[in-house]
Amino acid sequence: MKHKKLCFAAILALALNTPAFADLKVAASLSDLASVAESVGGKHVSVISLCKGYEDPHFVPAKPSLMKAIQNADVFVSVGLELDGGWLPLVIPGSRNPKIQVGAPGFVDASEGVPVLEKPVGTVSRAEGDIHPLGNPHYYMDPKNLEVVAGHLARVFSDLDPSNAADYQANAKAFDGKIESALKGWEKELKPYAGSSIVTFHKNFVYFADRFHLKLFGTVEPKPGIPPNPRYLAETAAAMKKAGVKVVVYQPYYDADASRELAAKAGGTAVEVPTEVGGVPQAKDVLSKFDFIGSALAQALGKGK
Amino acid sequence: MSHRLKLLVVTGLFFTLPALSGAQTRSIISNLANPAIGFNALFLEQAAPDLNQPYGPQFQEAEISLISAVDPTWTLTGNITFSPDGVDPEEVYATTDSIPDISLKIGKFRADFGKQGTLHTHAFPFLQAPVVSVNTLGEEGFKDVGVEASWLTPLPWYASLTLGAYGAEEGAPDQPLNFGSPDHANIPVLGRLKNEFDLDDDTTLDLGFSGLAGAGAVTGTGRADGLIHAVLGADLTFRNVPLRQSNQRGWILSAEYLTRGTFREGVFQDESDGWFAFLQYRWSQSWWTGIRAEEAFNASTDVLAQADPSLTGHVRRASANVTWTPSEFSQVRLEYSLAQVDQVADASRPMDHRLMLQFNYVIGFHPPHAY
Ligand SMILES: [Zn+2]
């Protein structure tokens, strides 16, 4: 009997989750943006993310199935700052969905309004690697920036679905509240390590380090998009040793071996820390993602002390 | 208004005016809306002992790509190539995504035929176009002026149907199709059905069928030959990109069959056909290897053409390559190929060994990688 009830509830939940029942069908290029969209949209939206959390957001294969997945979307949330610039120019037109083409009301560049770090001054040269020419696009690594995204999404959702505008505004406010209170906890957790240095695989911790007062000593990749070579790793390890830097952080989609090798040579540890929601099973949404990052970093930095 | 205030307003205006006019002058001509510009260069070093040509470096091709939104409705793309053969406005076309479920393309472009047929030279998986492609659709696909509409059907998987219509064009060395009939009703047409299925998170299956047909002319006369000439093709591709290592690992297994012929009393009669199949394997972020096998019937190829351009035969070729991609923007590829031809006319069996080294560079705008 109990089983039957559960089954029924599951079916009901599934039915409620199907796009047909949602007022707005939302798709995002990144799981973090999808998570914010879920919080803001609540029961009025169905949300999908094209990039899985354990997938490199710079190199999402532009599969036709992704185009199919957004054929009927009402809103598309892009990271912007060209993080998804390598695949969205195929996937968005490929969807043949006029509602979400760039310039249409359903297309959202989530970076709008976010204070962008590492904006290149002057010209951009690829002699420095595959750098992000519009500034560092990994802004979703600062929880505060997600409040900007939530506000932006609430406005877009309200414009497209005015009957639920009050709910979207209220949800965005509630989301901000959750982030603010959680932020206090993360700040407290990382406060003892303020000023500590870490090495990351890619320059995707810039916003995080800025928020939580960590220092970025260097990267496992010698330049953005350029794979590490033995000589570079040896030099970086030597520099880490000299400076007493012991923590190397990498994502599920980066070369774990190179990260571990570097850490071992420097006498430290390499830890897999997701930068995107879904990167590890524990990072179910943006809040639990930062919970995971906070405790993983505190643990790794604590070991070094 | 007091005199003092008036004076302030007037002096204020005086100081503002030049500044304003200066700003206006600067904005009369602005480069802020310039299109995205990409530039690609291909250099080839070739040693082909069986061909009557010197070894050594060749300038293969350079390409300028321009792309930009024209207005909220249209996007304009231009790909202009420069090669020893001259300058070619290879593709110049406008697209619109304003129609639900349909994308529309107008201008001069590569027709949506098969897999290989839509690739730019710098994106070829092997340095040489497949023999069968050269003998059926054209070395660089079917490039013509036309209009294409591509419909993403409501089927639960990705299934797109492209219909195209093009200008009539007589056959040429790089365009083996004879669509030269001067008949007013001669509008070559294309149909392509493309399906894609996700087998799992990492692996996809892509299955396509293409057809292109038009009315022909008697060679060199400009008179209609009263026949419908056509190319038909089928392509099958399995592709694996492990999502956790999308920039490091993966493989592509692909095969394509093409046939060129004529409809006589409604029955298709094959004139030249063949297939190719290849495997590309990615070892790491920077290294790829590939092998390809191909066979083409009643086909011309370089070793035959250097003796007599009209000779055809049964061509078999095997190729293997290794590619080094130090970054997203450069690539060096070493390729070896061995072709053998069974030539019917004089029963000779010429061979063609080749060793090639290609350098591939792109600066500026980098067009996204088609899946
Ligand atoms: Zn990045």
Side-chain angles (χ1 to χ4, degrees), chain A residues 181-194 212 298:
Chain A
S181 69
L183 185 58
K184 288 198 185 92
W186 300 322
E187 276 171 338
K188 203 174 150 198
E189 190 172 27
L190 289 170
K191 202 168 180 204
Y193 313 106
F212 298 103

Side-chain angles (χ1 to χ4, degrees), chain A residues 58 83 132 137-138 202:
Chain A
H58 304 85
L83 178 64
H132 296 297
H138 303 281
H202 178 65

Side-chain angles (χ1 to χ4, degrees), chain A residues 56-58 83 130 132 136-138 140 202-204 221 224 254:
Chain A
D56 187 341
H58 304 85
L83 178 64
D130 190 4
H132 296 297
N136 193 306
H138 303 281
Y140 50 90
H202 178 65
K203 289 187 100 178
N204 49 6
E221 55 178 9
Y254 283 132

Side-chain angles (χ1 to χ4, degrees), chain B residues 114-242:
Chain B
K115 280 255 171 200
Q116 171 77 29
T118 58
L119 297 179
H120 287 213
T121 317
H122 56 84
F124 280 9
F126 292 80
L127 297 184
Q128 302 170 93
V131 179
V132 64
S133 302
V134 177
N135 281 277
T136 54
L137 193 66
E139 183 167 2
E140 295 176 0
F142 180 70
K143 293 184 289 186
D144 199 359
V145 183
V147 53
E148 270 181 10
S150 180
W151 176 42
L152 183 52
T153 69
L155 290 166
W157 67 93
Y158 179 99
S160 68
L161 180 68
T162 305
L163 297 175
Y166 313 88
E169 224 177 63
E170 208 170 334
D174 65 333
Q175 211 282 81
L177 282 157
N178 178 354
F179 290 160
S181 164
D183 203 332
H184 290 170
N186 180 22
I187 299 169
V189 291
L190 168 139
R192 171 158 170 81
L193 177 67
K194 178 185 156 140
N195 300 278
E196 192 247 13
F197 306 93
D198 283 6
L199 301 180
D200 58 36
D201 254 14
D202 303 340
T203 317
T204 54
L205 183 161
D206 195 326
L207 177 65
F209 302 96
S210 319
L212 174 62
V218 182
T219 316
T221 64
R223 277 187 295 113
D225 65 1
L227 297 169
I228 297 296
H229 298 255
V231 180
L232 307 172
D235 56 270
L236 176 66
T237 302
F238 290 91
R239 181 160 185 174
N240 176 279
V241 183

Side-chain angles (χ1 to χ4, degrees), chain A residues 52 54-56 59-68 71-72 85-90 92-99 101-102 126 129-130 201 221 225-228 252-256 272 278-279, chain B residues 97-103 150-160 194 196 198 200-204 206 241 243-248 285-286 326-329 362-366 368-371:
Chain A
K52 303 247 164 60
Y54 45 79
E55 193 177 354
D56 187 341
F59 296 102
V60 175
K63 290 184 210 181
S65 55
L66 301 186
M67 306 171 191
K68 181 69 195 174
Q71 186 180 14
N72 297 308
W87 53 283
L88 277 195
L90 286 171
I92 296 273
S95 71
R96 277 83 142 182
N97 179 352
K99 287 183 283 184
Q101 299 301 316
V102 178
R126 286 195 187 133
D130 190 4
F201 193 97
E221 55 178 9
I226 308 293
Y253 42 82
Y254 283 132
D255 187 350
E272 186 183 82
Chain B
D97 300 299
S98 301
I99 311 164
D101 304 323
I102 289 172
S103 68
S150 180
W151 176 42
L152 183 52
T153 69
L155 290 166
W157 67 93
Y158 179 99
S160 68
K194 178 185 156 140
E196 192 247 13
D198 283 6
D200 58 36
D201 254 14
D202 303 340
T203 317
T204 54
D206 195 326
V241 183
L243 289 192
R244 286 170 191 276
Q245 295 174 295
S246 62
N247 195 32
Q248 293 154 54
Q285 191 173 334
S286 312
S327 79
E328 278 287 286
F329 311 98
V362 61
I363 54 174
F365 170 67
H366 183 299
H369 299 284
Y371 185 71

